[in-house]
Each structure stands twice: as C-alpha cells, then as structure tokens.
C-alpha cells in the first residue's frame, strides 16, 4: 500500500470540544468562516481541492470529520448520531474557532446536516450551500416506511444499513475494496449503464458489492483510496453508518420544523448523472418555496455523485463566486 498523501504545510489540523467530545477539523486561510461537511463514506479529505481555493479567495475554510468519522469522537450509542446532535457539534465548532457565525456547505449527508444546521441554528449559520442532495423539508411518512417500499423485491441500501452490524459485516472484511467499488458505482466515468442492475439495491440474499464496478474512477488514485481506506480501517464503519440509523429519530425530533423552509442565502450544486439529485428533482423544483433565499442553482452535465472531487475545476469557482456575493 502506498503512503498516504502528506497534507499541505498550509493546512492546520486541530481538535475542538463539542457535544460529541471532540471534533477534528482541517483549516486553511483567514477571513469569514466557511464550515465544510462531508458525506458517507468520506472525511474532511473530500474537501482537499476546495480548502486552498477558498483560502486563496479570502475565506477561513474549515473541513471537519463529522461525529463518528476520522479523528472525531465516536460515541457508542446509536442514538448519539441524530441530526440535532450533529447540528450542535457544528455550532460548537464555530464557537470553538472564535467565531459567532459561519457559512455552512455540505455534500451528501453533509448537505442534509448543513441544511438542518441553518434551519435549527439560524443564529450561527448565515448561509448554506448544498452539494448533490437537495433540501427536502421534514414531512410525510416515516423514512423507514418510505425506503421499505422501494425496489420491489430488492432491498434499498438505506434499509440495508439500518440494522447495526449488518452492513459492517459486508464492508469491514475488505474496507479498501468495498470503498473503491462504492465510489466507482456513483462516479460518472465508472457507474453502471442505465440498463444494468442498480447498485443502490441488492437482490434477495445478495450484497451491494456484487453490483459495484470493477474499474476505479479517474478522481480516485492510489493515494486517495489509501487515505480513505486507512481512516475506515482504523475507525470501523459503525460511526459512519449510524447516521442512517437515526432517520426515524430525526423525523420525530424535527416535528416542529415540519415543512419549514431554509430562508438564509443558499446555493445548490448537483450532477446530472447523480441519483441523489435526479431522484429528488421535485425537491429542486420546490426551491422557490423551500429555499426562498436561493442565490444560484447548478446541475453539472455528465457529473456523478462525488461532485467536488470529480469536477473541482467547475465546483470551485461556483463556490467562491457565491461566497463573495454574500453579505458579511
């Protein structure tokens, strides 16, 4: 296995106190604070292409390891990964960095956490950027009921992740191989053809991995895969998977926010080939109601799910232009 890539000397690693215990973050630059939240199964490292660009544009960019990942605390209780807890982690990071407010930007699960951070703590988060996963207000039936009805006779990956230990048993014997396949399954240059079996689902008695491509996407070199695999080989997968295991708790916890819009200035970026974006096309269409502060919305043609890693040359100027447009 090749050595993990050395961080730029301009990057500063630190841990700060939070309700989780500690949150690890990597920051670069000075200026207005921008908090960057990763998704599953990633880490602060998924923002490696954005940190120096945001810093050069005059911002203090801080990419965290979300609770359960990397060097951040990993509580043993599954319920410790509910949305309200993650929102309070984010607010604690802002305050620990000596700031009163921040812009929050998230990808994948990080986008959902970012939107809820803006919704629940508007006193801290003055603007929100969402990558890949659109904002959908709380509402409708319990999420577990929705996911159980998907796929016909096949099992949706979110349902598969619900039982503690089950997904871990598939992933942890070969973390590196599973991650490589998962990243490839949802990258534009390696995802299965539209008429191939969908890797979001597993057939009866099968695993998700059986539908993963055998090729590696262009953005994922040896060094990148080594970094991600090294993190999850060290921590295990349970902390990351526990986010999925709180979706019904979130539905209960956020009842007071049923249908609530996020009103701060906002940005959305999605990929035209990303199911996380295309399946939620109705949510994007509802933005005039659900994101009334939307400043700009972009769908990158031919882009998959890992948007800021697949297409940083397009994502970075969109982010910096939007950030520059925000009142301080």
């Amino acid at each position: 296995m090749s050595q993990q890539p050395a961080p730029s000397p301009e990057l500063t690693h630190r841990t700060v106190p939070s309700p989780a215990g500690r949150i690890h973050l990597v920051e670069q630059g000075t200026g207005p604070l921008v908090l960057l939240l990763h998704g599953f199964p990633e880490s602060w490292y998924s923002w490696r292409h954005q940190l120096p660009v945001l810093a050069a544009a005059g911002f203090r960019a801080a990419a965290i390891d979300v609770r359960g990942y990397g060097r951040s605390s990993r509580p043993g209780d599954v319920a410790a990964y509910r949305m309200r807890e993650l929102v309070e982690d984010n607010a604690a990071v802002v305050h620990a960095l000596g700031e009163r407010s921040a812009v929050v930007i998230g990808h994948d699960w990080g986008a959902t956490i970012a939107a809820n951070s803006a919704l629940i703590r508007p006193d801290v988060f003055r603007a929100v950027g969402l990558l890949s996963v659109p904002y959908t207000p709380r509402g409708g039936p319990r999420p577990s009921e929705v996911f159980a009805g998907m796929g016909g006779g096949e099992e949706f990956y979110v349902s598969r992740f619900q039982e503690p230990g089950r997904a871990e048993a598939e992933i942890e014997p070969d973390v590196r191989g599973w991650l490589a396949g998962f990243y490839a399954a949802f990258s534009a240059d390696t995802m299965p053809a539209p008429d191939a079996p969908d890797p979001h689902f597993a057939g009866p008695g099968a695993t998700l991995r059986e539908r993963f491509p055998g090729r590696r996407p262009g953005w994922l070199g040896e060094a990148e895969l080594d970094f991600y695999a090294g993190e999850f080989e060290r921590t295990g997968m349970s902390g990351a998977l526990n986010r999925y295991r709180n979706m019904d708790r979130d539905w209960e916890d956020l009842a007071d926010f049923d249908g609530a819009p996020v009103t701060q200035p906002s940005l959305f970026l999605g990929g035209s080939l990303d199911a996380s974006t295309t399946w939620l096309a109705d949510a994007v269409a509802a933005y005039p109601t659900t994101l009334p502060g939307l400043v700009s919305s972009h769908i990158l043609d031919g882009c998959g799910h890992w948007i800021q890693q697949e297409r940083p040359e397009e994502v970075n100027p969109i982010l910096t232009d939007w950030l520059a447009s925000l009142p301080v």
Side-chain angles (χ1 to χ4, degrees), residues 74-323:
R74 298 186 300 280
D77 182 8
V78 172
Y81 296 83
R82 62 210 312 155
M83 183 62 69
R84 283 188 177 270
E85 297 277 357
L86 301 180
V87 168
E88 291 310 312
D89 282 346
N90 296 337
V93 168
V94 172
H95 295 145
L97 292 177
E99 304 288 348
R100 297 179 62 184
S101 67
V103 176
V104 61
I105 300 174
H107 169 256
D108 183 78
W109 260 122
T112 304
I113 299 168
N116 280 281
S117 295
L119 183 68
I120 297 169
R121 294 299 305 269
D123 57 315
V124 177
F125 298 103
R126 61 186 181 90
V128 59
L130 309 176
L131 275 62
S132 298
V133 177
Y135 174 57
T136 55
R138 187 266 189 207
R142 287 179 175 272
S144 60
E145 296 173 5
V146 175
F147 298 130
M150 298 177 66
E154 298 188 327
E155 186 179 29
F156 190 46
Y157 79 101
V158 176
S159 297
R160 194 177 186 86
F161 287 174
Q162 295 303 306
E163 180 185 344
R166 186 180 178 208
E168 289 91 331
E170 176 180 337
I171 301 168
E172 291 180 353
D174 178 18
V175 170
R176 193 173 194 275
W178 194 93
L179 289 175
F182 191 80
Y183 297 142
F186 309 112
S187 295
D189 56 339
T190 48
M191 64 176 55
D195 58 350
D198 190 337
H200 291 91
F201 298 87
T207 64
L208 292 170
R209 183 172 180 166
E210 291 172 32
R211 295 185 177 180
F212 292 167
R215 300 183 295 133
R216 194 180 303 167
W219 64 267
L220 186 69
E222 287 293 317
E224 289 79 16
L225 182 55
D226 283 353
F227 186 90
Y228 284 124
E231 292 289 270
F232 289 107
E233 286 167 352
R234 178 171 53 82
T235 66
M237 298 299 300
S238 291
L241 289 162
N242 282 343
R243 173 81 289 272
Y244 290 92
R245 295 164 183 161
N246 279 278
M247 299 176 79
D248 281 352
R249 289 188 183 92
D250 297 339
W251 184 84
E252 295 169 356
D253 290 348
L254 300 175
D256 289 347
F257 293 96
D258 192 79
V262 171
T263 59
Q264 293 96 318
S266 56
L267 164 78
F268 177 70
L269 267 169
S272 69
L273 301 180
D274 181 10
S276 296
T277 298
T278 59
W279 284 353
L280 294 172
D282 288 347
V284 175
Y287 278 169
T289 300
T290 61
L291 284 181
L294 186 68
V295 174
S296 61
S297 181
H298 307 263
I299 302 295
L300 302 189
D301 189 48
C303 185
H305 181 65
W306 317 102
I307 187 167
Q308 79 271 32
Q309 299 181 87
E310 289 186 52
R311 305 276 276 275
E313 70 284 352
E314 294 174 61
V315 169
N316 291 349
I318 292 172
L319 292 181
T320 54
D321 287 350
W322 173 68
L323 289 167

